[in-house]
């Protein structure tokens, strides 16, 4: 299916897979190379994402890696204000996603800086976030921490209906690779991921340099680019509409090659 997103009144097509570049305004994200804290670092990362072909920038100010330090809401807002102001200054036309699980942080990002998408890693367990995104009217990324396909489908179906009942229009589904799953469960879900298309909503896949890759290969996040490329390619074959990545250039190459192959298939 061809999906579109309403971004500030403009319909953005997902006919061709999009690449979302990660910008972590944090000191402790799991991949050291993604940490950007100063205005200069944030500006350089923004330029890099755009120059390498990314159409979306996912800005986060709270690390969700296991064992990460809890960040008070006000501190998360302060980090995001610096990051979003810089991103908007460097790339005013870019589609900006904000990675947060807090409703008031989402509201601030949309109302103060015109954030275009809310990327919620709380698995939609906070009803206040559902109400907030429906009120804001921005596209919403709903993530799952369920361990298998059946439970993922059931949870998504139930929560999508809750969102629809609130008036939420644009919903993107994230299977949540790396969240609440063992390495084996991650790979099994990837193997069956095309079945999530039954929900008729666009899929976002975020597997960039995650432990399912480097633990399997016996390496670390810094050595996981090749493995990320392999699994990103598989994700495209199984219906991913958006790839959320650290390495934009390589993901764009995946998308271009897939686009060349798709008409043949």
């Amino acid at each position: 299916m061809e999906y579109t997103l309403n971004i500030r009144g403009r319909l953005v097509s997902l006919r061709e897979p999009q690449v979302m570049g990660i910008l972590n305004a944090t000191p402790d994200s799991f991949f050291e190379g993604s940490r950007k804290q100063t205005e200069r670092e944030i500006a350089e990362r923004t330029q890099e994402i755009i120059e390498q072909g990314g159409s979306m920038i996912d800005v986060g100010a709270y690390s969700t890696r296991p064992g990460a330090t809890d960040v008070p809401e006000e501190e998360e807002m302060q980090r995001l204000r610096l990051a979003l102001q810089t991103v908007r200054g460097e790339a005013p036309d870019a589609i900006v996603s904000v990675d947060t699980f807090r409703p008031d942080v989402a509201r601030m990002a949309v109302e103060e800086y015109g954030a275009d998408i809310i990327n919620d890693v709380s698995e939609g367990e906070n009803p206040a976030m559902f109400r907030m995104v429906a009120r804001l009217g921005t596209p919403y990324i709903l993530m799952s921490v369920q361990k298998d396909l059946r439970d993922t489908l059931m949870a998504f179906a139930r929560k999508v209906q809750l969102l629809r009942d609130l008036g939420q229009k644009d919903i993107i589904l994230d299977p949540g690779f790396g969240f609440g799953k063992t390495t084996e469960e991650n790979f099994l879900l990837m193997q069956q991921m095309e079945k999530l298309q039954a929900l008729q909503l666009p899929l976002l896949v975020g597997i960039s340099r995650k432990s399912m890759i480097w633990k399997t290969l016996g390496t670390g996040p810094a050595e996981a680019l090749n493995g990320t490329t392999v699994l990103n390619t598989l994700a495209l074959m199984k219906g991913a509409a958006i790839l959320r990545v650290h390495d934009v250039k390589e993901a764009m190459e995946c998308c271009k090659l897939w686009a060349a192959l798709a008409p043949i298939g």
Side-chain angles (χ1 to χ4, degrees):
M1 292 184 64
E2 180 180 356
Y3 301 106
T4 59
L5 298 177
N6 187 336
I7 303 294
R8 287 176 272 170
R10 173 172 60 98
L11 287 182
V12 174
S13 173
L14 300 180
R15 175 187 291 271
E16 295 183 359
Q18 303 295 300
V19 173
M20 175 184 282
I22 297 168
L23 196 165
N24 286 320
T26 60
D28 58 348
S29 295
F30 78 90
F31 176 45
E32 185 176 355
S34 73
R35 302 170 191 168
K36 310 295 177 185
Q37 291 184 269
T38 69
E39 185 175 348
R40 179 177 177 179
E41 289 175 334
I42 293 166
E44 289 175 349
R45 175 58 175 161
T46 300
Q47 293 167 3
E48 180 181 59
I49 291 171
I50 298 302
E51 288 170 2
Q52 292 184 356
S55 60
M56 302 177 177
I57 303 174
D58 190 48
V59 184
Y62 188 120
S63 175
T64 54
R65 69 171 177 82
T69 303
D70 182 53
V71 177
E73 185 168 300
E74 186 54 42
E75 183 175 349
E76 183 184 4
M77 285 189 180
Q78 283 183 317
R79 292 178 181 179
L80 276 175
R81 285 189 171 103
L82 171 64
L84 291 172
Q85 180 176 346
T86 305
V87 169
R88 281 300 188 207
E90 294 293 326
D93 296 327
I95 298 172
V96 177
S97 166
V98 171
D99 186 342
T100 186
F101 59 89
R102 289 168 165 155
D104 286 339
V105 174
R107 177 189 53 75
M108 179 276 295
V110 173
E111 293 181 351
E112 295 183 20
Y113 297 96
D116 302 299
I117 300 173
I118 300 303
N119 182 10
D120 180 10
V121 297
S122 72
E123 201 220 355
E125 291 300 338
N126 183 354
M129 180 62 96
F130 278 14
R131 293 192 295 272
M132 180 62 73
V133 294
R135 180 170 74 82
L136 294 170
T138 57
Y140 176 64
I141 300 172
L142 174 65
M143 196 193 77
S144 173
V145 298
Q146 300 300 320
K147 295 179 180 296
D148 58 38
L149 178 71
R150 176 183 175 276
D151 289 347
T152 299
L153 279 166
M154 291 179 63
F156 273 155
R158 178 172 60 84
K159 290 171 184 176
V160 166
Q161 188 58 57
L162 289 173
L163 285 161
R164 295 296 193 211
D165 290 345
L166 290 168
Q168 178 65 20
K169 293 182 172 56
D170 288 336
I171 303 169
I172 302 162
L173 303 179
D174 176 358
F177 292 106
F179 288 84
K181 304 168 184 66
T182 65
T183 296
E184 182 180 1
E185 288 165 345
N186 279 309
F187 278 106
L188 184 58
L189 184 59
M190 173 67 75
Q191 184 184 58
Q192 302 172 315
M193 195 185 81
E194 71 276 6
K195 295 178 181 177
L196 292 176
Q197 294 183 72
L199 296 169
Q200 298 186 338
L201 291 169
L203 301 177
L204 177 146
V205 170
I207 53 172
S208 184
R209 296 182 181 266
K210 287 190 173 176
S211 64
M212 64 181 287
I213 298 169
W214 52 263
K215 285 183 178 179
T216 300
L217 299 176
T219 58
E223 295 80 39
L225 173 55
N226 186 56
T228 297
T229 299
V230 171
L231 292 188
N232 276 338
T233 304
L234 182 61
L236 292 173
M237 295 173 66
K238 291 180 172 290
I242 303 171
L243 298 178
R244 180 182 180 274
V245 300
H246 299 95
D247 307 282
V248 173
K249 176 178 178 290
E250 290 79 2
M252 283 299 301
E253 290 176 352
C254 275
C255 290
K256 288 177 181 177
L257 292 170
W258 167 244
L261 180 63
I264 300 171

